[in-house]
Amino acid sequence: MPRPAERSPTKSPALLVLPGWDDDGRRQFDALQSQLAPSGWLCRRADIPDAGWPADQRARITRDQALQRVLEDYMNLAAVRGVARSRLALLGFSFGAYMATFLAAAKPARLLVLRSPALYPDSDWNTPKEQLDAQELRAYRSGPLGPEHNRALWCCSQFTGDVLLVDSGQDETIPPQLIASYAGAFRRVRSLTRYTLADADHALTQPAWQREYHNVLVEWLNARMREA
């Protein structure tokens, strides 16, 4: 009597975390990794400029160079044995969320999490990021924008997976209008979930805000993967 075919083991879900430009949240990453590990998640933190980088190195990095780095990080994670690209999630915060939109358009990703995503004009792409005018950025982010106005938003309009969009109610860096522009750009997604951390600031400087965010994030990630 022939033996039944053995079922191949389910490959692990994987999460690539893209930090913010001034992000010093490695302890936050470690805490998130600990919460996801029991569900079999493999987590990696992208090697793009953050608060831990030497100032002279950060001062030279352009958006194009940062994108090349996250593309390499993605390929390294996707190449890990036991990881399936169909079960790969991207999580970005602020500048990292902006980078995540381009990565999601270039490479397969099942889930996309954007927390307080930043946005930059398409011009001066190869200018070092720290040389961009802060006042001009604030004005740009405060107006209504769509996929026809910005390449990152166009990338959002092409994404077809599940999205979690998180913002802070007391964000001093990212205005509510920019969050609305991002939400409106996701026109083809399987689902869009929005969550506001009502009392939180941009960097989630209070442990209670970090815990609230991580609890929402972990529940959402695990629920979406159970549906996959």
Side-chain angles (χ1 to χ4, degrees):
M1 185 174 181
R3 297 173 59 186
E6 294 185 2
R7 299 177 64 181
S8 59
T10 302
K11 290 191 174 184
S12 300
L15 176 68
L16 180 62
V17 178
L18 284 65
W21 190 263
D22 295 315
D23 186 5
D24 60 356
R26 290 187 180 273
R27 281 187 294 180
Q28 288 192 47
F29 171 78
D30 291 342
L32 176 61
Q33 188 175 35
S34 296
Q35 282 185 261
L36 287 171
S39 300
W41 285 86
L42 176 66
C43 301
R44 292 287 186 271
R45 196 172 191 268
D47 185 25
I48 55 176
D50 60 18
W53 276 46
D56 61 330
Q57 290 185 24
R58 291 207 320 165
R60 297 192 297 268
I61 294 293
T62 69
R63 284 176 282 170
D64 186 68
Q65 290 169 331
L67 180 57
Q68 296 310 311
R69 298 185 74 93
V70 299
L71 284 166
E72 183 177 349
D73 289 327
Y74 174 97
M75 295 306 296
N76 289 339
L77 178 57
V80 173
R81 185 176 181 181
V83 169
R85 294 192 187 186
S86 61
R87 294 171 62 81
L88 203 150
L90 306 176
L91 185 162
F93 162 55
S94 197
F95 178 77
Y98 172 72
M99 286 285 107
T101 65
F102 294 101
L103 185 56
K107 298 295 181 181
R110 173 75 170 79
L111 308 176
L112 178 62
V113 180
L114 304 182
R115 182 172 82 77
S116 300
L119 195 70
Y120 304 84
D122 294 336
S123 58
D124 300 321
W125 176 254
N126 288 305
T127 297
K129 188 265 185 192
E130 292 198 341
Q131 293 182 20
L132 301 177
D133 187 273
Q135 290 187 343
E136 291 182 1
L137 285 177
R138 281 194 291 270
Y140 181 76
R141 293 167 178 173
S142 297
L145 296 165
E148 66 276 16
H149 303 126
N150 185 281
R151 285 186 293 177
L153 295 179
W154 180 88
C155 290
C156 293
S157 73
Q158 302 305 299
F159 188 67
T160 58
D162 296 290
V163 176
L164 173 62
L165 179 60
V166 180
D167 66 293
S168 293
Q170 306 301 320
D171 199 314
E172 70 284 6
T173 303
I174 304 300
Q177 178 58 55
L178 182 54
I179 302 300
S181 294
Y182 266 101
F186 288 110
R187 300 172 179 176
R188 301 175 59 197
V189 293
R190 183 182 296 109
S191 70
L192 170 62
T193 302
R194 295 187 61 178
Y195 189 88
T196 298
L197 301 161
D199 299 320
D201 58 17
H202 185 66
L204 303 187
T205 53
Q206 297 298 318
W209 301 336
Q210 297 170 21
R211 288 193 297 270
E212 180 183 359
Y213 167 56
H214 287 172
N215 288 340
V216 169
L217 173 61
V218 169
E219 181 180 353
W220 185 85
L221 286 171
N222 285 333
R224 297 290 83 73
M225 276 302 167
R226 285 194 295 268
E227 297 170 358

Short mmCIF file of all heavy atoms in Angstrom, two decimals, residues 166-213:
data_model
loop_
_atom_site.label_atom_id
_atom_site.label_comp_id
_atom_site.label_asym_id
_atom_site.label_seq_id
_atom_site.Cartn_x
_atom_site.Cartn_y
_atom_site.Cartn_z
N VAL A 166 -0.14 53.09 11.25
CA VAL A 166 -0.21 53.54 12.64
C VAL A 166 0.30 54.98 12.72
O VAL A 166 1.34 55.30 12.13
CB VAL A 166 0.64 52.64 13.56
CG1 VAL A 166 0.57 53.12 15.00
CG2 VAL A 166 0.18 51.18 13.46
N ASP A 167 -0.42 55.83 13.45
CA ASP A 167 0.05 57.19 13.67
C ASP A 167 -0.06 57.54 15.15
O ASP A 167 -0.71 56.84 15.92
CB ASP A 167 -0.74 58.18 12.82
CG ASP A 167 -2.19 58.27 13.22
OD1 ASP A 167 -2.93 57.28 13.05
OD2 ASP A 167 -2.60 59.33 13.71
N SER A 168 0.60 58.64 15.53
CA SER A 168 0.58 59.13 16.91
C SER A 168 -0.28 60.38 16.99
O SER A 168 -0.12 61.30 16.19
CB SER A 168 2.00 59.45 17.38
OG SER A 168 2.77 58.27 17.49
N GLY A 169 -1.16 60.42 17.98
CA GLY A 169 -2.08 61.53 18.09
C GLY A 169 -1.41 62.84 18.45
O GLY A 169 -1.97 63.92 18.18
N GLN A 170 -0.21 62.78 19.05
CA GLN A 170 0.53 63.99 19.44
C GLN A 170 1.86 64.07 18.70
O GLN A 170 2.86 64.50 19.26
CB GLN A 170 0.75 64.00 20.96
CG GLN A 170 -0.52 63.83 21.78
CD GLN A 170 -1.55 64.91 21.50
OE1 GLN A 170 -1.21 66.08 21.34
NE2 GLN A 170 -2.83 64.52 21.42
N ASP A 171 1.84 63.67 17.44
CA ASP A 171 3.08 63.63 16.65
C ASP A 171 3.51 65.05 16.29
O ASP A 171 2.76 65.80 15.66
CB ASP A 171 2.86 62.81 15.38
CG ASP A 171 4.16 62.35 14.75
OD1 ASP A 171 5.08 63.16 14.62
OD2 ASP A 171 4.24 61.16 14.39
N GLU A 172 4.73 65.40 16.65
CA GLU A 172 5.26 66.73 16.37
C GLU A 172 6.02 66.79 15.05
O GLU A 172 6.46 67.86 14.63
CB GLU A 172 6.19 67.16 17.51
CG GLU A 172 7.51 66.42 17.62
CD GLU A 172 7.42 65.01 18.22
OE1 GLU A 172 6.30 64.51 18.46
OE2 GLU A 172 8.48 64.40 18.44
N THR A 173 6.14 65.65 14.37
CA THR A 173 6.92 65.58 13.12
C THR A 173 6.05 65.29 11.91
O THR A 173 6.24 65.89 10.85
CB THR A 173 8.00 64.49 13.24
OG1 THR A 173 8.84 64.78 14.37
CG2 THR A 173 8.85 64.42 11.99
N ILE A 174 5.11 64.37 12.05
CA ILE A 174 4.27 63.94 10.93
C ILE A 174 2.86 64.47 11.13
O ILE A 174 2.16 64.08 12.06
CB ILE A 174 4.25 62.40 10.83
CG1 ILE A 174 5.66 61.85 10.69
CG2 ILE A 174 3.36 61.96 9.66
CD1 ILE A 174 6.42 62.34 9.47
N PRO A 175 2.38 65.38 10.26
CA PRO A 175 1.04 65.96 10.44
C PRO A 175 -0.06 64.97 10.05
O PRO A 175 0.16 64.06 9.24
CB PRO A 175 1.07 67.16 9.49
CG PRO A 175 2.04 66.79 8.43
CD PRO A 175 3.10 65.97 9.12
N PRO A 176 -1.26 65.16 10.57
CA PRO A 176 -2.38 64.26 10.24
C PRO A 176 -2.68 64.22 8.74
O PRO A 176 -3.09 63.18 8.22
CB PRO A 176 -3.56 64.85 11.02
CG PRO A 176 -2.94 65.60 12.15
CD PRO A 176 -1.64 66.13 11.61
N GLN A 177 -2.49 65.34 8.04
CA GLN A 177 -2.76 65.36 6.61
C GLN A 177 -1.88 64.38 5.85
O GLN A 177 -2.31 63.76 4.87
CB GLN A 177 -2.56 66.77 6.04
CG GLN A 177 -2.77 66.88 4.53
CD GLN A 177 -4.15 66.44 4.11
OE1 GLN A 177 -5.16 66.94 4.62
NE2 GLN A 177 -4.22 65.47 3.19
N LEU A 178 -0.65 64.20 6.31
CA LEU A 178 0.24 63.25 5.64
C LEU A 178 -0.24 61.81 5.85
O LEU A 178 -0.19 61.01 4.91
CB LEU A 178 1.67 63.40 6.15
CG LEU A 178 2.71 62.50 5.48
CD1 LEU A 178 2.68 62.64 3.96
CD2 LEU A 178 4.10 62.78 6.02
N ILE A 179 -0.71 61.50 7.05
CA ILE A 179 -1.27 60.17 7.28
C ILE A 179 -2.48 59.94 6.38
O ILE A 179 -2.67 58.85 5.81
CB ILE A 179 -1.66 60.00 8.76
CG1 ILE A 179 -0.44 60.21 9.67
CG2 ILE A 179 -2.28 58.62 9.00
CD1 ILE A 179 0.69 59.24 9.42
N ALA A 180 -3.30 60.97 6.21
CA ALA A 180 -4.46 60.86 5.31
C ALA A 180 -4.01 60.64 3.87
O ALA A 180 -4.65 59.87 3.12
CB ALA A 180 -5.31 62.12 5.42
N SER A 181 -2.93 61.29 3.46
CA SER A 181 -2.42 61.09 2.10
C SER A 181 -1.96 59.66 1.89
O SER A 181 -2.21 59.05 0.85
CB SER A 181 -1.26 62.07 1.82
OG SER A 181 -1.71 63.41 1.80
N TYR A 182 -1.28 59.11 2.88
CA TYR A 182 -0.85 57.71 2.79
C TYR A 182 -2.07 56.78 2.73
O TYR A 182 -2.12 55.86 1.89
CB TYR A 182 0.03 57.33 3.98
CG TYR A 182 1.51 57.48 3.71
CD1 TYR A 182 2.22 58.58 4.17
CD2 TYR A 182 2.21 56.51 3.00
CE1 TYR A 182 3.59 58.71 3.93
CE2 TYR A 182 3.57 56.62 2.75
CZ TYR A 182 4.26 57.72 3.22
OH TYR A 182 5.60 57.84 2.97
N ALA A 183 -3.02 57.00 3.62
CA ALA A 183 -4.20 56.12 3.64
C ALA A 183 -4.93 56.15 2.30
O ALA A 183 -5.38 55.11 1.79
CB ALA A 183 -5.13 56.54 4.77
N GLY A 184 -5.05 57.34 1.72
CA GLY A 184 -5.75 57.46 0.45
C GLY A 184 -5.00 56.85 -0.72
O GLY A 184 -5.61 56.53 -1.75
N ALA A 185 -3.70 56.65 -0.57
CA ALA A 185 -2.90 56.09 -1.67
C ALA A 185 -3.07 54.59 -1.82
O ALA A 185 -2.81 54.03 -2.89
CB ALA A 185 -1.42 56.43 -1.46
N PHE A 186 -3.49 53.90 -0.75
CA PHE A 186 -3.62 52.44 -0.81
C PHE A 186 -4.96 52.08 -1.47
O PHE A 186 -5.98 51.89 -0.81
CB PHE A 186 -3.52 51.84 0.59
CG PHE A 186 -2.14 51.87 1.17
CD1 PHE A 186 -1.83 52.72 2.23
CD2 PHE A 186 -1.14 51.07 0.65
CE1 PHE A 186 -0.56 52.75 2.76
CE2 PHE A 186 0.15 51.10 1.17
CZ PHE A 186 0.44 51.94 2.24
N ARG A 187 -4.93 51.96 -2.79
CA ARG A 187 -6.15 51.78 -3.56
C ARG A 187 -6.39 50.34 -4.02
O ARG A 187 -7.47 50.02 -4.51
CB ARG A 187 -6.11 52.71 -4.79
CG ARG A 187 -6.00 54.18 -4.39
CD ARG A 187 -5.76 55.08 -5.59
NE ARG A 187 -5.69 56.50 -5.18
CZ ARG A 187 -5.40 57.50 -6.01
NH1 ARG A 187 -5.18 57.25 -7.29
NH2 ARG A 187 -5.35 58.74 -5.55
N ARG A 188 -5.39 49.47 -3.88
CA ARG A 188 -5.52 48.11 -4.40
C ARG A 188 -5.26 47.05 -3.33
O ARG A 188 -5.16 45.87 -3.64
CB ARG A 188 -4.54 47.90 -5.56
CG ARG A 188 -4.72 48.86 -6.72
CD ARG A 188 -3.65 48.67 -7.78
NE ARG A 188 -3.64 47.31 -8.31
CZ ARG A 188 -2.63 46.77 -8.99
NH1 ARG A 188 -1.51 47.47 -9.19
NH2 ARG A 188 -2.71 45.54 -9.44
N VAL A 189 -5.14 47.45 -2.08
CA VAL A 189 -4.74 46.51 -1.03
C VAL A 189 -5.85 45.53 -0.68
O VAL A 189 -7.04 45.79 -0.90
CB VAL A 189 -4.30 47.27 0.24
CG1 VAL A 189 -3.03 48.05 -0.03
CG2 VAL A 189 -5.39 48.21 0.74
N ARG A 190 -5.44 44.41 -0.13
CA ARG A 190 -6.39 43.42 0.36
C ARG A 190 -7.14 43.96 1.57
O ARG A 190 -8.33 43.74 1.72
CB ARG A 190 -5.64 42.13 0.72
CG ARG A 190 -6.54 40.99 1.17
CD ARG A 190 -5.73 39.77 1.55
NE ARG A 190 -5.01 39.22 0.40
CZ ARG A 190 -3.70 39.30 0.23
NH1 ARG A 190 -2.94 39.92 1.11
NH2 ARG A 190 -3.11 38.76 -0.82
N SER A 191 -6.40 44.65 2.44
CA SER A 191 -7.03 45.28 3.60
C SER A 191 -6.15 46.42 4.09
O SER A 191 -4.92 46.38 3.93
CB SER A 191 -7.25 44.26 4.73
OG SER A 191 -6.01 43.87 5.31
N LEU A 192 -6.78 47.42 4.67
CA LEU A 192 -6.08 48.55 5.29
C LEU A 192 -6.63 48.73 6.70
O LEU A 192 -7.82 48.99 6.88
CB LEU A 192 -6.27 49.83 4.47
CG LEU A 192 -5.78 51.13 5.13
CD1 LEU A 192 -4.27 51.08 5.37
CD2 LEU A 192 -6.14 52.35 4.26
N THR A 193 -5.76 48.59 7.68
CA THR A 193 -6.12 48.78 9.08
C THR A 193 -5.41 50.02 9.59
O THR A 193 -4.19 50.14 9.44
CB THR A 193 -5.72 47.57 9.94
OG1 THR A 193 -6.34 46.39 9.42
CG2 THR A 193 -6.12 47.77 11.39
N ARG A 194 -6.16 50.95 10.18
CA ARG A 194 -5.57 52.16 10.74
C ARG A 194 -5.70 52.14 12.26
O ARG A 194 -6.71 51.69 12.80
CB ARG A 194 -6.25 53.41 10.17
CG ARG A 194 -6.04 53.59 8.68
CD ARG A 194 -6.60 54.93 8.20
NE ARG A 194 -5.93 56.06 8.87
CZ ARG A 194 -6.20 57.33 8.60
NH1 ARG A 194 -7.11 57.64 7.67
NH2 ARG A 194 -5.56 58.30 9.24
N TYR A 195 -4.64 52.62 12.92
CA TYR A 195 -4.67 52.68 14.39
C TYR A 195 -3.93 53.93 14.84
O TYR A 195 -2.83 54.21 14.37
CB TYR A 195 -4.00 51.45 15.00
CG TYR A 195 -4.18 51.36 16.50
CD1 TYR A 195 -5.29 50.72 17.04
CD2 TYR A 195 -3.26 51.93 17.36
CE1 TYR A 195 -5.49 50.65 18.41
CE2 TYR A 195 -3.44 51.87 18.74
CZ TYR A 195 -4.55 51.23 19.26
OH TYR A 195 -4.74 51.17 20.61
N THR A 196 -4.55 54.69 15.74
CA THR A 196 -3.94 55.90 16.29
C THR A 196 -3.58 55.68 17.75
O THR A 196 -4.42 55.29 18.56
CB THR A 196 -4.90 57.10 16.18
OG1 THR A 196 -5.18 57.35 14.80
CG2 THR A 196 -4.27 58.34 16.79
N LEU A 197 -2.31 55.93 18.07
CA LEU A 197 -1.84 55.93 19.45
C LEU A 197 -2.16 57.32 20.00
O LEU A 197 -1.40 58.26 19.82
CB LEU A 197 -0.35 55.64 19.51
CG LEU A 197 0.07 54.30 18.89
CD1 LEU A 197 1.56 54.28 18.56
CD2 LEU A 197 -0.27 53.15 19.83
N ALA A 198 -3.31 57.46 20.63
CA ALA A 198 -3.93 58.76 20.84
C ALA A 198 -3.04 59.75 21.57
O ALA A 198 -2.97 60.93 21.20
CB ALA A 198 -5.25 58.58 21.60
N ASP A 199 -2.34 59.34 22.61
CA ASP A 199 -1.57 60.27 23.43
C ASP A 199 -0.09 60.29 23.10
O ASP A 199 0.68 61.02 23.73
CB ASP A 199 -1.75 59.91 24.92
CG ASP A 199 -3.20 60.01 25.36
OD1 ASP A 199 -3.89 60.95 24.92
OD2 ASP A 199 -3.65 59.12 26.12
N ALA A 200 0.33 59.49 22.12
CA ALA A 200 1.76 59.27 21.89
C ALA A 200 2.40 60.36 21.05
O ALA A 200 1.76 61.00 20.22
CB ALA A 200 1.96 57.91 21.22
N ASP A 201 3.71 60.53 21.25
CA ASP A 201 4.50 61.42 20.40
C ASP A 201 5.14 60.61 19.27
O ASP A 201 4.90 59.40 19.14
CB ASP A 201 5.55 62.17 21.22
CG ASP A 201 6.51 61.24 21.97
OD1 ASP A 201 6.59 60.04 21.63
OD2 ASP A 201 7.19 61.73 22.89
N HIS A 202 5.94 61.27 18.46
CA HIS A 202 6.51 60.63 17.27
C HIS A 202 7.39 59.43 17.62
O HIS A 202 7.30 58.38 17.00
CB HIS A 202 7.32 61.67 16.48
CG HIS A 202 7.86 61.17 15.18
ND1 HIS A 202 7.05 60.82 14.11
CD2 HIS A 202 9.14 60.96 14.76
CE1 HIS A 202 7.79 60.43 13.09
NE2 HIS A 202 9.06 60.50 13.46
N ALA A 203 8.25 59.60 18.61
CA ALA A 203 9.24 58.58 18.92
C ALA A 203 8.76 57.54 19.93
O ALA A 203 9.51 56.62 20.27
CB ALA A 203 10.51 59.24 19.46
N LEU A 204 7.52 57.66 20.42
CA LEU A 204 7.00 56.76 21.46
C LEU A 204 7.95 56.74 22.66
O LEU A 204 8.50 55.70 23.04
CB LEU A 204 6.79 55.34 20.93
CG LEU A 204 5.88 55.18 19.71
CD1 LEU A 204 5.64 53.70 19.43
CD2 LEU A 204 4.57 55.91 19.88
N THR A 205 8.13 57.91 23.27
CA THR A 205 9.11 58.05 24.34
C THR A 205 8.66 57.44 25.66
O THR A 205 9.49 57.25 26.56
CB THR A 205 9.44 59.53 24.57
OG1 THR A 205 8.22 60.27 24.77
CG2 THR A 205 10.18 60.11 23.36
N GLN A 206 7.37 57.11 25.80
CA GLN A 206 6.88 56.50 27.03
C GLN A 206 6.72 54.99 26.84
O GLN A 206 6.17 54.54 25.83
CB GLN A 206 5.54 57.11 27.45
CG GLN A 206 5.61 58.59 27.77
CD GLN A 206 6.53 58.88 28.94
OE1 GLN A 206 6.53 58.16 29.94
NE2 GLN A 206 7.33 59.93 28.82
N PRO A 207 7.17 54.19 27.80
CA PRO A 207 7.03 52.73 27.68
C PRO A 207 5.59 52.27 27.44
O PRO A 207 5.37 51.29 26.72
CB PRO A 207 7.56 52.22 29.03
CG PRO A 207 8.53 53.27 29.48
CD PRO A 207 7.94 54.57 29.03
N ALA A 208 4.61 52.96 28.02
CA ALA A 208 3.22 52.56 27.82
C ALA A 208 2.82 52.67 26.36
O ALA A 208 2.05 51.84 25.85
CB ALA A 208 2.30 53.41 28.69
N TRP A 209 3.31 53.70 25.68
CA TRP A 209 2.99 53.86 24.25
C TRP A 209 3.66 52.77 23.43
O TRP A 209 3.08 52.27 22.48
CB TRP A 209 3.45 55.24 23.77
CG TRP A 209 2.82 56.37 24.51
CD1 TRP A 209 1.62 56.36 25.17
CD2 TRP A 209 3.35 57.69 24.69
NE1 TRP A 209 1.36 57.59 25.74
CE2 TRP A 209 2.41 58.43 25.46
CE3 TRP A 209 4.52 58.32 24.27
CZ2 TRP A 209 2.62 59.76 25.81
CZ3 TRP A 209 4.73 59.65 24.62
CH2 TRP A 209 3.79 60.36 25.38
N GLN A 210 4.89 52.42 23.80
CA GLN A 210 5.59 51.34 23.11
C GLN A 210 4.84 50.02 23.27
O GLN A 210 4.69 49.26 22.31
CB GLN A 210 7.01 51.22 23.63
CG GLN A 210 7.87 52.45 23.40
CD GLN A 210 9.19 52.39 24.15
OE1 GLN A 210 9.66 51.31 24.53
NE2 GLN A 210 9.80 53.54 24.37
N ARG A 211 4.38 49.75 24.49
CA ARG A 211 3.66 48.49 24.74
C ARG A 211 2.35 48.46 23.95
O ARG A 211 2.00 47.41 23.38
CB ARG A 211 3.39 48.32 26.24
CG ARG A 211 4.62 48.01 27.06
CD ARG A 211 4.23 47.55 28.46
NE ARG A 211 3.54 48.59 29.21
CZ ARG A 211 4.16 49.48 29.99
NH1 ARG A 211 5.48 49.48 30.08
NH2 ARG A 211 3.46 50.38 30.66
N GLU A 212 1.63 49.57 23.92
CA GLU A 212 0.38 49.62 23.17
C GLU A 212 0.63 49.34 21.70
O GLU A 212 -0.08 48.53 21.07
CB GLU A 212 -0.28 50.98 23.34
CG GLU A 212 -1.61 51.11 22.58
CD GLU A 212 -2.22 52.50 22.69
OE1 GLU A 212 -1.63 53.37 23.38
OE2 GLU A 212 -3.29 52.72 22.08
N TYR A 213 1.64 49.98 21.15
CA TYR A 213 1.98 49.78 19.74
C TYR A 213 2.37 48.33 19.47
O TYR A 213 1.88 47.70 18.51
CB TYR A 213 3.11 50.72 19.36
CG TYR A 213 3.76 50.43 18.04
CD1 TYR A 213 3.01 50.36 16.86
CD2 TYR A 213 5.13 50.22 17.95
CE1 TYR A 213 3.62 50.09 15.64
CE2 TYR A 213 5.74 49.97 16.75
CZ TYR A 213 4.99 49.89 15.59
OH TYR A 213 5.60 49.62 14.40
#
